Amino acid sequence: QVFSACFCGAPLRPPLLQAVAMRVACWLVALAAAIKETHLRQREQAVEAVGAFKHRLRVCNAFPYEAGLDVYRGKTEKLNGDAPLPYKGCGDFKVHLKPGDKLDFRVGTASAGKFSVTDLPNSDSLLLLTILRHDQETTESEFESHVFANLLNAQVAIIDTYKGPEGSRVYIQDVKDAKRARKEQLRYGSVVALNKGKYEVVLEEKEDHQVSKRKLVAVERESYVILRVGVNAKSGPSYSEDLVVYPQHSEELLTPTKSGASVVGSCVAVLLTAMPFMLW
């Protein structure tokens, strides 16, 4: 016998079909709950795994402004101590970052920009974060980020934060006391490997016309950043082109040769990769 009736325009299902529908609905609810629980467990395991690795945070201030920046994690945890991070300054911070953390860059009580940590590498690594000006017209900020791999050779990330019409290029060259002088262009947005030794980093507007020059003492297992900084502002103060090389090491860290002379790099630059920005 077929049971049928009318209730709000919809026919009633036979009891057997109702029972099957209820079982399917319960099964779907249980499946959704299990999937959600699995995702939560996987995320917790990922956070725990990330927490087992050592992550160092390096922050560079390439934002042209007369006042320095304070770096906060969340609303209250100040990372840079009492002294603000000045323009063209960099600092290393020992902080246990987690996915979901927010870094707030402030001038006094005003926020200059916020960066959200979306993911972290499953390995010991150095995390580089650079704050810079977005354009020539406004004082809005933006960020460039990079994760350095663990390598025996020194690594150098080259970042262009300059805003303006000048097309200056960055070169790395042997120091003057090297047996043979070599010079090679370092392309913006790339990471190169260097043998340990003494180098000079040069910013040139035209061929052989130096805008700025800095020393770079490359030691093994260290990560460096070269920044082209400055802004030709449409309104407000402008800041001239300049170079930042960080960190700066003493030549005493270089292993002496048998004659006692400091080591001069035996290879100028080997391209590792085009820099993958915003990885974390």
Side-chain angles (χ1 to χ4, degrees):
Q1 182 178 2
V2 177
F3 295 89
S4 63
C6 184
F7 182 75
C8 295
L12 292 177
R13 295 174 178 174
L16 180 58
L17 293 179
Q18 288 181 339
V20 171
M22 290 181 62
R23 289 184 180 181
V24 171
C26 292
W27 181 80
L28 290 175
V29 171
L31 179 61
I35 292 174
K36 183 177 180 180
E37 183 179 356
T38 301
H39 287 172
L40 290 174
R41 189 182 304 113
Q42 290 175 344
R43 182 172 181 82
E44 291 173 354
Q45 291 173 348
V47 172
E48 291 175 358
V50 168
F53 298 107
K54 295 180 181 178
H55 296 140
R56 289 187 297 144
L57 174 64
R58 175 170 295 169
V59 175
C60 289
N61 180 8
F63 188 85
Y65 195 70
E66 58 183 357
L69 296 174
D70 291 318
V71 185
Y72 285 81
R73 178 168 67 170
K75 296 182 179 180
T76 58
E77 184 182 356
K78 190 176 180 180
L79 302 183
N80 58 292
D82 296 330
L85 190 64
Y87 170 54
K88 298 193 289 188
C90 297
D92 292 347
F93 305 101
K94 293 182 179 180
V95 56
H96 180 61
L97 291 175
K98 303 183 299 297
D101 281 348
K102 289 181 173 54
L103 300 177
D104 189 6
F105 291 74
R106 305 178 191 173
V107 179
T109 58
S111 178
K114 294 182 180 180
F115 183 87
S116 296
V117 180
T118 57
D119 199 4
L120 291 167
N122 293 324
S123 61
D124 295 345
S125 52
L126 174 64
L127 315 175
L128 171 64
L129 181 61
T130 303
I131 183 172
L132 58 143
R133 189 155 162 170
H134 182 268
D135 52 56
Q136 297 175 254
E137 289 77 17
T138 69
T139 57
E140 294 182 3
S141 64
E142 63 179 2
F143 295 91
E144 301 280 12
S145 67
H146 177 67
V147 178
F148 286 101
N150 284 317
L151 296 179
L152 175 62
N153 290 86
Q155 301 174 76
V156 184
I158 303 94
I159 304 177
D160 186 11
T161 71
Y162 175 77
K163 304 299 180 183
E166 286 77 9
S168 301
R169 299 178 179 181
V170 175
Y171 296 86
I172 189 167
Q173 62 189 27
D174 294 313
V175 294
K176 291 182 179 180
D177 58 351
K179 292 183 178 180
R180 58 189 183 122
R182 293 158 300 175
K183 180 178 178 180
E184 185 173 340
Q185 182 181 349
L186 297 177
R187 300 192 179 278
Y188 298 121
S190 66
V191 181
V192 300
L194 293 177
N195 286 341
K196 68 178 181 180
K198 297 185 297 182
Y199 303 91
E200 291 178 342
V201 182
V202 181
L203 181 65
E204 292 186 357
E205 184 178 358
K206 297 179 181 179
E207 187 174 358
D208 297 328
H209 176 67
Q210 293 185 0
V211 177
S212 182
K213 182 170 70 174
R214 297 286 184 269
K215 292 182 179 180
L216 193 160
V217 177
V219 298
E220 291 179 344
R221 300 189 184 280
E222 181 60 278
S223 300
Y224 300 85
V225 58
I226 297 175
L227 301 172
R228 178 196 182 206
V229 299
V231 62
N232 187 347
K234 297 295 185 181
S235 61
S238 294
Y239 292 77
S240 59
E241 280 186 288
D242 202 358
L243 273 179
V244 174
V245 176
Y246 184 88
Q248 288 287 333
H249 288 307
S250 170
E251 295 180 12
E252 296 177 356
L253 295 178
L254 299 176
T255 305
T257 62
K258 293 182 179 179
S259 62
S262 297
V263 175
V264 176
S266 59
C267 177
V268 175
V270 177
L271 179 66
L272 291 178
T273 180
M275 182 180 296
F277 291 126
M278 306 304 290
L279 289 184
W280 58 283

